[in-house]
Amino acid sequence: MNLLEYFARHHREILQATLEHVWLVGIAMLLAVAVGVPLGVLVARQPWLARPILGGANIAETIPSLALFGFLLPVPWLGDRAERIAIAALALYALLPIIRNTAAGITGVDRAIRDAARGMGMTEWQILFQVELPLSFSTMLAGIRVATVLTVGIATIAAAVGAGGLGEFIFRGLAMVNNQLILAGAIPAALLALIADFLLGVCERRLQPARS
Amino acid sequence: MSSETKRTAGRSSLPDAHPVIEFRHASYQLPDGRALLRDLNLAVERGETLVLLGRSGAGKSTALKLINRMLEPSDGAVLVEGRSTLEGDPIELRRRIGYVIQEVGLFPHFTVEQNISLLPRLEHWPDERIRARVAELLQLVGLSEAEFLHRYPHQLSGGQRQRVGVARALAADPPILLMDEPFGALDPLTRAEVQCEFQDLQRRLKKTIVIVTHHVAEALLLGDHIGVIDAGALVGLHTPKDFMSATEPVTAAYTANVRMFEKLEAPE
Ligand SMILES: Nc1ncnc2c1ncn2[C@@H]1O[C@H](COP(=O)(O)OP(=O)(O)OP(=O)(O)O)[C@@H](O)[C@H]1O
Ligand SMILES: [Mg+2]
């Protein structure tokens, strides 16, 4: 039985697993953006918070993914369901690039532009929302893009704690020493990563602030 | 000058007895203790234009920034309409003070129209009034509405950008205007034109203005008073009339410079 036949025969399951995968990554990314962007703003605004915040996100990044899933198992509420663990772990991984790029985007805004905004009597919030964040969008999106691609890959390991996704095929294939099964998980995961990378890349270029 | 300060434009309930802008022994030091401005004493009456002239690095921009509280004096006080800039809300203070920064600092993600209309929008002017105001301002600074309204800053020349910067500072019709080398990037011909238009504008609008410049001719043309700043201190304050006969060394150096060019023009 060749690979194509295998894919044809199991397209339902593969599609199902792909959707699970997208769901895990999607929710994790939403969470990571919701937490990471404000943290990035804090890092840019309060230099004394930069070390603890970036340091913390850095540590999360260095924990081996399988271990991180394991660490989260005993956490109350989170540990109750496999998907919660998976989403929390993925969001943690996605955090660092998002925080770092948001901060870089904001601190990268030309001083003259900030001065002009301040000088004309804009409040700090108005400067943030109408000037700094819009001018940082493309840098922020570059971080989100890196994080998404990273997360699509790591999400395959979520299957180890029973959270589903394309990792199911990979783990089963490994256990049964079945390459087709492994590829049934790996190929869609790779495609997902490529598609996410492409789409977010397009958005990123669209949002590129016009510069002379 | 101050005899015609009857006109208060109903803006301030304060009597016109005191100047609109006043430096009282104002100093500004960096955190490391280096003094950028020392014991500055100056007053600008309502409707008057003060030009600050001085070498690069003399402290002119720093002086401007003390007026709208971009910087706070480390000693002495700066008063705007009779109140120390440190009293009250800096946002409110800045909304009454148009500010053209040296680097222009247009918002690159906004069109010309959006740049100019930002403050009126923040102040919730009705759309119709904003549109009319933008058109009026573009005309004032000599940019065609049809051509420039929807351009982004990166699609403008340096001089055009500066003019948009001036229009933006004037947008909400502030009674006070601070301009840091507003015409620096203009070619001499356009510069002369814009200066004349600006002079006209000054006469009509009667705003209280502080302009920073390197150009003596500009100072003589636009200033009611010319303050010469050198190494963080005010070394001379003159009307254009007595500027040319001033004797203190820094000012004399400027006038010598002007005379040199006059000689070039009229060699006989
Ligand atoms: N934040 C700062 N840190 C250190 N030095 C500063 C700072 N701001 C200004 N200076 C210094 O203070 C001095 C006065 O600066 P300022 O910008 O007021 O000069 P200026 O008269 O406007 O000069 P120019 O004509 O070149 O614009 C300069 O020597 C400048 O290097
Ligand atoms: Mg300056």
Side-chain angles (χ1 to χ4, degrees), chain A residues 162-206:
Chain A
L166 290 162
E168 293 279 346
F169 290 96
I170 298 175
F171 278 105
R172 257 194 283 153
L174 282 171
M176 296 162 63
V177 201
N178 179 339
N179 278 339
Q180 277 176 350
L181 216 46
I182 295 178
L183 288 175
I187 291 176
L191 284 178
L192 271 186
L194 285 175
I195 292 170
D197 190 50
F198 173 77
L199 289 181
L200 290 170
V202 169
C203 295
E204 190 186 319
R205 276 187 296 280
R206 281 276 171 79

Side-chain angles (χ1 to χ4, degrees), chain B:
Chain B
M1 250 308 123
S2 42
S3 61
E4 53 179 79
T5 49
K6 280 272 162 291
R7 232 189 85 107
T8 50
R11 245 176 242 113
S12 163
S13 53
L14 297 163
D16 256 11
H18 43 216
V20 175
I21 300 168
E22 191 178 359
F23 287 80
R24 280 192 197 157
H25 302 288
S27 298
Y28 180 76
Q29 288 186 344
L30 291 172
D32 67 14
R34 201 151 59 89
L36 299 189
L37 280 178
R38 270 171 286 114
D39 193 32
L40 201 58
N41 288 292
L42 258 178
V44 190
E45 303 294 334
R46 185 169 303 281
E48 198 183 64
T49 299
L50 170 74
V51 175
L52 293 178
L53 191 65
R55 279 175 191 273
S56 188
K60 306 180 296 295
S61 297
T62 307
L64 274 198
K65 288 175 188 163
L66 287 175
I67 300 172
N68 63 358
R69 202 176 165 181
M70 295 291 281
L71 299 174
E72 298 181 350
S74 20
D75 224 325
V78 177
L79 285 77
V80 172
E81 288 169 340
R83 275 174 72 196
S84 159
T85 53
L86 301 183
E87 286 170 36
D89 179 19
I91 304 295
E92 204 182 297
L93 176 76
R94 290 173 194 149
R95 295 269 169 108
R96 280 180 297 126
I97 303 179
Y99 182 36
V100 182
I101 72 168
Q102 196 167 2
E103 304 85 354
V104 188
L106 294 183
F107 302 120
H109 58 309
F110 285 169
T111 60
V112 166
E113 177 183 28
Q114 291 166 327
N115 264 286
I116 297 177
S117 64
L118 181 58
L119 205 50
R121 277 186 282 135
L122 291 179
E123 305 242 295
H124 305 292
W125 288 21
D127 287 350
E128 208 30 65
R129 184 168 166 216
I130 293 179
R131 244 193 307 279
R133 182 68 181 155
V134 171
E136 183 187 11
L137 286 164
L138 278 177
Q139 194 184 3
L140 197 75
V141 297
L143 294 175
S144 132
E145 191 184 341
E147 196 176 340
F148 292 100
L149 198 60
H150 299 297
R151 287 217 202 163
Y152 284 89
H154 74 277
Q155 299 167 319
L156 303 176
S157 75
Q160 289 162 349
R161 254 177 255 160
Q162 273 192 334
R163 284 187 268 169
V164 174
V166 172
R168 180 175 65 176
L170 287 166
D173 204 14
I176 302 170
L177 204 51
L178 309 178
M179 312 176 87
D180 203 338
E181 297 190 44
F183 312 126
L186 300 184
D187 64 279
L189 295 183
T190 313
R191 189 181 186 116
E193 272 170 34
V194 173
Q195 281 168 353
C196 285
E197 279 166 35
F198 189 77
Q199 215 179 5
D200 202 47
L201 188 88
Q202 261 173 311
R203 267 188 225 117
R204 278 189 290 133
L205 303 184
K206 282 285 169 206
K207 293 189 184 300
T208 308
I209 305 173
V210 183
I211 302 182
V212 167
T213 183
H214 291 140
H215 289 235
V216 187
E218 191 165 287
L220 292 170
L221 185 69
L222 300 180
D224 294 309
H225 286 102
I226 301 167
V228 182
I229 294 194
D230 192 55
L234 183 75
V235 293
L237 184 63
H238 308 279
T239 61
K241 223 184 269 164
D242 46 67
F243 183 85
M244 292 308 286
S245 51
T247 52
E248 74 273 2
V250 184
T251 313
Y254 275 108
T255 55
N257 189 272
V258 173
R259 290 211 181 83
M260 195 175 80
F261 279 101
E262 277 171 356
K263 256 185 229 142
L264 280 178
E265 281 158 18
E268 284 324 297

Side-chain angles (χ1 to χ4, degrees), chain A residues 60-61 63-73 85 88-90 92-93:
Chain A
E61 203 82 359
I63 302 174
S65 34
L66 208 49
L68 186 55
F69 287 108
F71 285 147
L72 293 175
L73 265 172
I85 297 178
L90 294 178
L92 272 175
Y93 278 115

Side-chain angles (χ1 to χ4, degrees), chain A residues 13 19 21 47-49 76 85 102 104 110 153 191 194:
Chain A
E13 293 163 60
L19 290 179
H21 207 89
W48 58 278
L49 282 175
I85 297 178
T102 303
D110 190 353
L191 284 178
L194 285 175

